[in-house]
Amino acid sequence: MTNDRRFQRQRDQLVDIIREKGITDSNVLKAVGRVPRHRFLDNAFLHRAYEDEALPIGHRVTISQPFTVAYQTSLLGVKPGHRVLEIGTGSGYQAAILCEMGAQVFTIERIKPLQARTAELLRSLGYRAVCRFGDGVQGWPAMAPFDGIIVTAGAETVPQDLLRQLRVPDPDTMGAGGRLVIPVGPRTHQRMMRFTRSGDDTWDDEELDDFRFVPLLGDTE
Ligand code: SAH
């Protein structure tokens, strides 16, 4: 059996696992079934690439658990053509899932060597995410507004710049307000939150399940 077929079978099994854990969005499940997660890991972890686990990728950073990626992606409600900003590129796996779903992806990473390596990997796999080195806490004003912003590191507070860079809903075109999906809390555990922009100065907020992420560093004031 070729490597590709072996990995495809493992990917299908991973899709079954995260479906059983409660992910129902078929577009998200399809994307998990397509993205070659083994390419986002060190060879040493190849045999564990399709376990539903976070794994180390160097620089004291982990590739997120596939369930967590699927959970956050479902909350974003990604549609083809949506502009989505990711804070915390890391391995690039989450960015690849968003690209598979047809989003226009912008992603920021604050560890320079990791950023460079991942930008090159995404390009070589044909994922057209726009990658940037920097502190994502300020968002990416030049590329705003965004239909979705996803933070893949745990934030102690909600960065106000990110809320401001969400799309304002437009009743004339029925354009929906942008959504920010962000784990918020102390280092030890965070609560997933979703903020949906409802007007110039208003956001609806929802508190969801608990997770544990790598910390979001930078100036969140
Ligand atoms: N989305 C990644 C998860 C990586 S872990 C994946 O799919 O693999 C979180 C990442 O956020 C780490 O790489 C960390 O360096 C980065 N990070 C933390 N604070 C940041 C900040 N202020 N700006 C940009 N990236 C940040």
Side-chain angles (χ1 to χ4, degrees), residues 110-182:
R110 63 175 289 282
I111 300 174
K112 181 92 185 170
L114 180 60
Q115 192 277 331
R117 187 182 90 194
T118 300
E120 179 49 37
L121 175 69
L122 287 167
R123 200 171 22 246
S124 73
L125 293 173
Y127 292 117
R128 291 163 175 260
V130 184
C131 300
R132 207 188 96 184
F133 163 66
D135 178 5
V137 167
Q138 278 88 42
W140 197 336
M143 298 299 179
F146 298 102
D147 301 290
I149 302 181
I150 176 170
V151 179
T152 68
E156 292 196 20
T157 57
V158 180
Q160 297 303 301
D161 287 330
L162 299 185
L163 289 172
R164 290 253 152 234
Q165 288 172 36
L166 294 174
R167 188 182 297 290
V168 176
D170 181 349
D172 294 339
T173 63
M174 309 260 286
R179 293 169 166 183
L180 167 65
V181 175
I182 180 170

Side-chain angles (χ1 to χ4, degrees), residues 61-64 86-94 108-111 114 134-137 152-153 214-218:
V61 167
T62 51
I63 181 173
S64 300
E86 178 192 26
I87 312 302
T89 316
S91 69
Y93 179 69
Q94 171 74 69
I108 308 179
E109 170 57 52
R110 63 175 289 282
I111 300 174
L114 180 60
D135 178 5
V137 167
T152 68
V214 165
L216 180 74
L217 302 173

Side-chain angles (χ1 to χ4, degrees), residues 180-191:
L180 167 65
V181 175
I182 180 170
V184 186
R187 294 251 163 149
T188 47
H189 61 279
Q190 300 90 31
R191 171 82 32 98

